[in-house]
Amino acid sequence: MRRELAACILIGWAGGVGAADAAATQMPAESDDRDSVLVGGRQALRSLTERVATEVDSWFGDKPFREGGRVSGSIGFKALFRQGDSPDTSLRFQAQVNLPNLNDKGYLFFGRDNERELVTDQPDTFSRRELLLNERPRSEQTAFGGIGYRLLDLFDLRAGVRKAYKPYTQARYRKVFGLTEHDALDFRETLFWNTDDGVGATTALNYTHAYTPTLALRWQNAGTISQDSDGTEWFSSLGLFKNLSEMRTVSFEGLVRGETAGPNDIKEYGVRLTWEQPVFRDWTFLQVSLGHFWPRGEADSGRSRQWSMGLGVELRF
């Protein structure tokens, strides 16, 4: 029990006086206006999500949604800048809602995300937006929606649709192992099927060591293989994560990604520094990332050097 509790903590582990007086009286009003816009926008987003979830939940029974229905989600915008490429932007929206008429084990999910990362269940750490890579063409982004069902708190089954007509399914397993009071291992396996890749699997294995309650070392790894691929696409990162006061976090990581098939086993390696903190209450966050990478193109070309930067805002509801 002690080890399991430690594991949860670790994983859980970004003019004149008259004019001055007038300005002083106007500033609180302007601030109140900005606050009301953000609060009102968040409430509207949450209400819209609840209305959609209430309708879907009614398909499975007569139990009112307010008796056990829970909503969580986020909407985020990120500007990406990589040396030698044109600036790019990324808009991401994700929502998940528990459905009371499915005994609180069923849930509805929908939003907008990178299509391949969505269907293969790619860990966020290795998504293109977190790797500070442009998302072009825009066809890589897709709207999606589906229904999931949890089994034994370790498994969940998901069936969804993206781009309005393309189906995909996932069977996911996750287990956290408490090795010691300071060490934990997080294992996740996802079997998936979609019309583009066929059958495939994504494996993620993360190790965390806590030096102190606010400082941890994380080694994160992931690999994806499918019927349509010739080899395994893999990612790895090793870094230090520091929790500061008032929900502020900072991290410094070394990253590498590649493929087992093809002329270049290692496609890119580099370092990434990330700062995250709330900018309005405890549900609107600012994230700033700075990276330096060494990508490699064709087999006969050498590696180039590129600075990268990401500036993102995320609203959680």
PDB file of all heavy atoms in Angstrom, residues 35-60:
ATOM      1  N   ASP A  35     -11.816  39.431 -16.494  1.00  0.00           N
ATOM      2  CA  ASP A  35     -12.123  38.269 -15.674  1.00  0.00           C
ATOM      3  C   ASP A  35     -13.462  37.666 -16.060  1.00  0.00           C
ATOM      4  O   ASP A  35     -13.604  36.446 -16.173  1.00  0.00           O
ATOM      5  CB  ASP A  35     -12.152  38.660 -14.188  1.00  0.00           C
ATOM      6  CG  ASP A  35     -10.761  39.011 -13.669  1.00  0.00           C
ATOM      7  OD1 ASP A  35      -9.799  38.921 -14.456  1.00  0.00           O
ATOM      8  OD2 ASP A  35     -10.661  39.393 -12.492  1.00  0.00           O
ATOM      9  N   SER A  36     -14.459  38.527 -16.273  1.00  0.00           N
ATOM     10  CA  SER A  36     -15.796  38.031 -16.606  1.00  0.00           C
ATOM     11  C   SER A  36     -15.806  37.328 -17.951  1.00  0.00           C
ATOM     12  O   SER A  36     -16.539  36.362 -18.143  1.00  0.00           O
ATOM     13  CB  SER A  36     -16.807  39.183 -16.597  1.00  0.00           C
ATOM     14  OG  SER A  36     -16.489  40.142 -17.594  1.00  0.00           O
ATOM     15  N   VAL A  37     -14.993  37.811 -18.893  1.00  0.00           N
ATOM     16  CA  VAL A  37     -14.923  37.163 -20.210  1.00  0.00           C
ATOM     17  C   VAL A  37     -14.340  35.761 -20.076  1.00  0.00           C
ATOM     18  O   VAL A  37     -14.873  34.790 -20.622  1.00  0.00           O
ATOM     19  CB  VAL A  37     -14.078  38.008 -21.184  1.00  0.00           C
ATOM     20  CG1 VAL A  37     -13.768  37.213 -22.449  1.00  0.00           C
ATOM     21  CG2 VAL A  37     -14.813  39.287 -21.542  1.00  0.00           C
ATOM     22  N   LEU A  38     -13.248  35.634 -19.327  1.00  0.00           N
ATOM     23  CA  LEU A  38     -12.621  34.326 -19.155  1.00  0.00           C
ATOM     24  C   LEU A  38     -13.524  33.370 -18.384  1.00  0.00           C
ATOM     25  O   LEU A  38     -13.710  32.215 -18.774  1.00  0.00           O
ATOM     26  CB  LEU A  38     -11.288  34.480 -18.429  1.00  0.00           C
ATOM     27  CG  LEU A  38     -10.120  35.015 -19.261  1.00  0.00           C
ATOM     28  CD1 LEU A  38      -8.917  35.296 -18.375  1.00  0.00           C
ATOM     29  CD2 LEU A  38      -9.741  34.031 -20.355  1.00  0.00           C
ATOM     30  N   VAL A  39     -14.101  33.864 -17.282  1.00  0.00           N
ATOM     31  CA  VAL A  39     -14.978  33.013 -16.481  1.00  0.00           C
ATOM     32  C   VAL A  39     -16.211  32.623 -17.275  1.00  0.00           C
ATOM     33  O   VAL A  39     -16.637  31.456 -17.278  1.00  0.00           O
ATOM     34  CB  VAL A  39     -15.382  33.730 -15.172  1.00  0.00           C
ATOM     35  CG1 VAL A  39     -16.436  32.924 -14.420  1.00  0.00           C
ATOM     36  CG2 VAL A  39     -14.162  33.942 -14.287  1.00  0.00           C
ATOM     37  N   GLY A  40     -16.802  33.600 -17.976  1.00  0.00           N
ATOM     38  CA  GLY A  40     -17.988  33.308 -18.790  1.00  0.00           C
ATOM     39  C   GLY A  40     -17.690  32.344 -19.914  1.00  0.00           C
ATOM     40  O   GLY A  40     -18.487  31.452 -20.209  1.00  0.00           O
ATOM     41  N   GLY A  41     -16.521  32.513 -20.560  1.00  0.00           N
ATOM     42  CA  GLY A  41     -16.144  31.597 -21.632  1.00  0.00           C
ATOM     43  C   GLY A  41     -15.944  30.186 -21.128  1.00  0.00           C
ATOM     44  O   GLY A  41     -16.360  29.220 -21.772  1.00  0.00           O
ATOM     45  N   ARG A  42     -15.315  30.046 -19.976  1.00  0.00           N
ATOM     46  CA  ARG A  42     -15.112  28.719 -19.393  1.00  0.00           C
ATOM     47  C   ARG A  42     -16.444  28.078 -19.021  1.00  0.00           C
ATOM     48  O   ARG A  42     -16.670  26.886 -19.275  1.00  0.00           O
ATOM     49  CB  ARG A  42     -14.216  28.831 -18.160  1.00  0.00           C
ATOM     50  CG  ARG A  42     -13.886  27.503 -17.481  1.00  0.00           C
ATOM     51  CD  ARG A  42     -12.877  27.727 -16.373  1.00  0.00           C
ATOM     52  NE  ARG A  42     -12.460  26.464 -15.766  1.00  0.00           N
ATOM     53  CZ  ARG A  42     -12.926  26.011 -14.608  1.00  0.00           C
ATOM     54  NH1 ARG A  42     -13.839  26.703 -13.936  1.00  0.00           N
ATOM     55  NH2 ARG A  42     -12.473  24.862 -14.118  1.00  0.00           N
ATOM     56  N   GLN A  43     -17.340  28.858 -18.430  1.00  0.00           N
ATOM     57  CA  GLN A  43     -18.640  28.321 -18.059  1.00  0.00           C
ATOM     58  C   GLN A  43     -19.442  27.905 -19.293  1.00  0.00           C
ATOM     59  O   GLN A  43     -20.121  26.869 -19.281  1.00  0.00           O
ATOM     60  CB  GLN A  43     -19.417  29.355 -17.243  1.00  0.00           C
ATOM     61  CG  GLN A  43     -18.849  29.595 -15.855  1.00  0.00           C
ATOM     62  CD  GLN A  43     -19.572  30.688 -15.101  1.00  0.00           C
ATOM     63  OE1 GLN A  43     -20.291  31.506 -15.694  1.00  0.00           O
ATOM     64  NE2 GLN A  43     -19.384  30.731 -13.785  1.00  0.00           N
ATOM     65  N   ALA A  44     -19.354  28.699 -20.365  1.00  0.00           N
ATOM     66  CA  ALA A  44     -20.072  28.361 -21.598  1.00  0.00           C
ATOM     67  C   ALA A  44     -19.523  27.074 -22.204  1.00  0.00           C
ATOM     68  O   ALA A  44     -20.280  26.222 -22.689  1.00  0.00           O
ATOM     69  CB  ALA A  44     -19.964  29.510 -22.592  1.00  0.00           C
ATOM     70  N   LEU A  45     -18.198  26.920 -22.180  1.00  0.00           N
ATOM     71  CA  LEU A  45     -17.574  25.715 -22.724  1.00  0.00           C
ATOM     72  C   LEU A  45     -17.983  24.489 -21.920  1.00  0.00           C
ATOM     73  O   LEU A  45     -18.304  23.435 -22.489  1.00  0.00           O
ATOM     74  CB  LEU A  45     -16.061  25.889 -22.705  1.00  0.00           C
ATOM     75  CG  LEU A  45     -15.219  24.845 -23.454  1.00  0.00           C
ATOM     76  CD1 LEU A  45     -15.570  24.818 -24.922  1.00  0.00           C
ATOM     77  CD2 LEU A  45     -13.735  25.158 -23.264  1.00  0.00           C
ATOM     78  N   ARG A  46     -18.007  24.641 -20.612  1.00  0.00           N
ATOM     79  CA  ARG A  46     -18.396  23.523 -19.756  1.00  0.00           C
ATOM     80  C   ARG A  46     -19.872  23.183 -19.933  1.00  0.00           C
ATOM     81  O   ARG A  46     -20.250  22.006 -19.995  1.00  0.00           O
ATOM     82  CB  ARG A  46     -18.110  23.872 -18.296  1.00  0.00           C
ATOM     83  CG  ARG A  46     -18.290  22.708 -17.337  1.00  0.00           C
ATOM     84  CD  ARG A  46     -17.943  23.108 -15.917  1.00  0.00           C
ATOM     85  NE  ARG A  46     -18.048  21.962 -15.027  1.00  0.00           N
ATOM     86  CZ  ARG A  46     -17.071  21.128 -14.762  1.00  0.00           C
ATOM     87  NH1 ARG A  46     -15.891  21.299 -15.326  1.00  0.00           N
ATOM     88  NH2 ARG A  46     -17.243  20.105 -13.928  1.00  0.00           N
ATOM     89  N   SER A  47     -20.723  24.210 -20.058  1.00  0.00           N
ATOM     90  CA  SER A  47     -22.158  23.978 -20.240  1.00  0.00           C
ATOM     91  C   SER A  47     -22.446  23.280 -21.560  1.00  0.00           C
ATOM     92  O   SER A  47     -23.286  22.369 -21.631  1.00  0.00           O
ATOM     93  CB  SER A  47     -22.913  25.308 -20.174  1.00  0.00           C
ATOM     94  OG  SER A  47     -22.795  25.905 -18.903  1.00  0.00           O
ATOM     95  N   LEU A  48     -21.741  23.691 -22.623  1.00  0.00           N
ATOM     96  CA  LEU A  48     -21.922  23.048 -23.924  1.00  0.00           C
ATOM     97  C   LEU A  48     -21.521  21.584 -23.855  1.00  0.00           C
ATOM     98  O   LEU A  48     -22.220  20.705 -24.378  1.00  0.00           O
ATOM     99  CB  LEU A  48     -21.096  23.776 -24.981  1.00  0.00           C
ATOM    100  CG  LEU A  48     -21.108  23.170 -26.396  1.00  0.00           C
ATOM    101  CD1 LEU A  48     -22.528  23.147 -26.949  1.00  0.00           C
ATOM    102  CD2 LEU A  48     -20.180  23.950 -27.319  1.00  0.00           C
ATOM    103  N   THR A  49     -20.384  21.295 -23.188  1.00  0.00           N
ATOM    104  CA  THR A  49     -19.934  19.917 -23.037  1.00  0.00           C
ATOM    105  C   THR A  49     -20.951  19.096 -22.259  1.00  0.00           C
ATOM    106  O   THR A  49     -21.255  17.950 -22.615  1.00  0.00           O
ATOM    107  CB  THR A  49     -18.572  19.887 -22.320  1.00  0.00           C
ATOM    108  OG1 THR A  49     -17.623  20.659 -23.063  1.00  0.00           O
ATOM    109  CG2 THR A  49     -18.060  18.461 -22.189  1.00  0.00           C
ATOM    110  N   GLU A  50     -21.517  19.668 -21.197  1.00  0.00           N
ATOM    111  CA  GLU A  50     -22.511  18.955 -20.395  1.00  0.00           C
ATOM    112  C   GLU A  50     -23.785  18.684 -21.190  1.00  0.00           C
ATOM    113  O   GLU A  50     -24.397  17.621 -21.043  1.00  0.00           O
ATOM    114  CB  GLU A  50     -22.830  19.751 -19.134  1.00  0.00           C
ATOM    115  CG  GLU A  50     -21.716  19.725 -18.104  1.00  0.00           C
ATOM    116  CD  GLU A  50     -22.099  20.472 -16.835  1.00  0.00           C
ATOM    117  OE1 GLU A  50     -23.165  21.138 -16.827  1.00  0.00           O
ATOM    118  OE2 GLU A  50     -21.337  20.388 -15.849  1.00  0.00           O
ATOM    119  N   ARG A  51     -24.197  19.625 -22.040  1.00  0.00           N
ATOM    120  CA  ARG A  51     -25.409  19.413 -22.847  1.00  0.00           C
ATOM    121  C   ARG A  51     -25.217  18.266 -23.823  1.00  0.00           C
ATOM    122  O   ARG A  51     -26.114  17.432 -24.009  1.00  0.00           O
ATOM    123  CB  ARG A  51     -25.788  20.698 -23.596  1.00  0.00           C
ATOM    124  CG  ARG A  51     -26.422  21.750 -22.709  1.00  0.00           C
ATOM    125  CD  ARG A  51     -27.191  22.770 -23.530  1.00  0.00           C
ATOM    126  NE  ARG A  51     -26.313  23.542 -24.403  1.00  0.00           N
ATOM    127  CZ  ARG A  51     -25.728  24.673 -24.040  1.00  0.00           C
ATOM    128  NH1 ARG A  51     -25.898  25.161 -22.821  1.00  0.00           N
ATOM    129  NH2 ARG A  51     -24.966  25.334 -24.889  1.00  0.00           N
ATOM    130  N   VAL A  52     -24.046  18.227 -24.466  1.00  0.00           N
ATOM    131  CA  VAL A  52     -23.765  17.121 -25.387  1.00  0.00           C
ATOM    132  C   VAL A  52     -23.740  15.800 -24.629  1.00  0.00           C
ATOM    133  O   VAL A  52     -24.324  14.798 -25.060  1.00  0.00           O
ATOM    134  CB  VAL A  52     -22.412  17.358 -26.103  1.00  0.00           C
ATOM    135  CG1 VAL A  52     -22.029  16.129 -26.932  1.00  0.00           C
ATOM    136  CG2 VAL A  52     -22.490  18.589 -26.989  1.00  0.00           C
ATOM    137  N   ALA A  53     -23.080  15.793 -23.463  1.00  0.00           N
ATOM    138  CA  ALA A  53     -22.972  14.569 -22.676  1.00  0.00           C
ATOM    139  C   ALA A  53     -24.335  14.116 -22.156  1.00  0.00           C
ATOM    140  O   ALA A  53     -24.636  12.917 -22.136  1.00  0.00           O
ATOM    141  CB  ALA A  53     -22.020  14.791 -21.507  1.00  0.00           C
ATOM    142  N   THR A  54     -25.183  15.049 -21.741  1.00  0.00           N
ATOM    143  CA  THR A  54     -26.518  14.706 -21.247  1.00  0.00           C
ATOM    144  C   THR A  54     -27.336  14.022 -22.326  1.00  0.00           C
ATOM    145  O   THR A  54     -28.046  13.040 -22.066  1.00  0.00           O
ATOM    146  CB  THR A  54     -27.238  15.967 -20.747  1.00  0.00           C
ATOM    147  OG1 THR A  54     -26.481  16.552 -19.684  1.00  0.00           O
ATOM    148  CG2 THR A  54     -28.632  15.636 -20.244  1.00  0.00           C
ATOM    149  N   GLU A  55     -27.239  14.520 -23.548  1.00  0.00           N
ATOM    150  CA  GLU A  55     -27.980  13.920 -24.655  1.00  0.00           C
ATOM    151  C   GLU A  55     -27.491  12.501 -24.925  1.00  0.00           C
ATOM    152  O   GLU A  55     -28.291  11.576 -25.067  1.00  0.00           O
ATOM    153  CB  GLU A  55     -27.816  14.780 -25.909  1.00  0.00           C
ATOM    154  CG  GLU A  55     -28.444  14.201 -27.162  1.00  0.00           C
ATOM    155  CD  GLU A  55     -29.955  14.033 -27.060  1.00  0.00           C
ATOM    156  OE1 GLU A  55     -30.584  14.782 -26.296  1.00  0.00           O
ATOM    157  OE2 GLU A  55     -30.493  13.142 -27.748  1.00  0.00           O
ATOM    158  N   VAL A  56     -26.175  12.306 -24.981  1.00  0.00           N
ATOM    159  CA  VAL A  56     -25.627  10.982 -25.251  1.00  0.00           C
ATOM    160  C   VAL A  56     -25.953  10.029 -24.104  1.00  0.00           C
ATOM    161  O   VAL A  56     -26.326   8.866 -24.322  1.00  0.00           O
ATOM    162  CB  VAL A  56     -24.107  11.051 -25.479  1.00  0.00           C
ATOM    163  CG1 VAL A  56     -23.504   9.653 -25.606  1.00  0.00           C
ATOM    164  CG2 VAL A  56     -23.795  11.875 -26.722  1.00  0.00           C
ATOM    165  N   ASP A  57     -25.847  10.506 -22.864  1.00  0.00           N
ATOM    166  CA  ASP A  57     -26.122   9.657 -21.710  1.00  0.00           C
ATOM    167  C   ASP A  57     -27.574   9.179 -21.697  1.00  0.00           C
ATOM    168  O   ASP A  57     -27.862   8.058 -21.247  1.00  0.00           O
ATOM    169  CB  ASP A  57     -25.811  10.432 -20.424  1.00  0.00           C
ATOM    170  CG  ASP A  57     -25.880   9.559 -19.185  1.00  0.00           C
ATOM    171  OD1 ASP A  57     -25.299   8.456 -19.209  1.00  0.00           O
ATOM    172  OD2 ASP A  57     -26.520   9.965 -18.204  1.00  0.00           O
ATOM    173  N   SER A  58     -28.501   9.997 -22.205  1.00  0.00           N
ATOM    174  CA  SER A  58     -29.923   9.624 -22.221  1.00  0.00           C
ATOM    175  C   SER A  58     -30.201   8.454 -23.159  1.00  0.00           C
ATOM    176  O   SER A  58     -31.253   7.824 -23.052  1.00  0.00           O
ATOM    177  CB  SER A  58     -30.771  10.832 -22.619  1.00  0.00           C
ATOM    178  OG  SER A  58     -30.539  11.195 -23.972  1.00  0.00           O
ATOM    179  N   TRP A  59     -29.265   8.151 -24.080  1.00  0.00           N
ATOM    180  CA  TRP A  59     -29.454   7.006 -24.973  1.00  0.00           C
ATOM    181  C   TRP A  59     -29.389   5.690 -24.195  1.00  0.00           C
ATOM    182  O   TRP A  59     -29.900   4.671 -24.672  1.00  0.00           O
ATOM    183  CB  TRP A  59     -28.373   6.973 -26.054  1.00  0.00           C
ATOM    184  CG  TRP A  59     -28.337   8.182 -26.933  1.00  0.00           C
ATOM    185  CD1 TRP A  59     -29.271   9.179 -27.034  1.00  0.00           C
ATOM    186  CD2 TRP A  59     -27.276   8.542 -27.832  1.00  0.00           C
ATOM    187  NE1 TRP A  59     -28.880  10.132 -27.932  1.00  0.00           N
ATOM    188  CE2 TRP A  59     -27.653   9.759 -28.444  1.00  0.00           C
ATOM    189  CE3 TRP A  59     -26.072   7.963 -28.186  1.00  0.00           C
ATOM    190  CZ2 TRP A  59     -26.854  10.403 -29.385  1.00  0.00           C
ATOM    191  CZ3 TRP A  59     -25.268   8.579 -29.118  1.00  0.00           C
ATOM    192  CH2 TRP A  59     -25.656   9.791 -29.712  1.00  0.00           C
ATOM    193  N   PHE A  60     -28.759   5.694 -23.020  1.00  0.00           N
ATOM    194  CA  PHE A  60     -28.502   4.448 -22.298  1.00  0.00           C
ATOM    195  C   PHE A  60     -29.365   4.266 -21.055  1.00  0.00           C
ATOM    196  O   PHE A  60     -29.233   3.256 -20.362  1.00  0.00           O
ATOM    197  CB  PHE A  60     -27.026   4.394 -21.894  1.00  0.00           C
ATOM    198  CG  PHE A  60     -26.078   4.525 -23.048  1.00  0.00           C
ATOM    199  CD1 PHE A  60     -25.455   5.733 -23.330  1.00  0.00           C
ATOM    200  CD2 PHE A  60     -25.809   3.445 -23.880  1.00  0.00           C
ATOM    201  CE1 PHE A  60     -24.578   5.867 -24.395  1.00  0.00           C
ATOM    202  CE2 PHE A  60     -24.939   3.558 -24.954  1.00  0.00           C
ATOM    203  CZ  PHE A  60     -24.325   4.772 -25.218  1.00  0.00           C
TER     204      PHE A  60
END
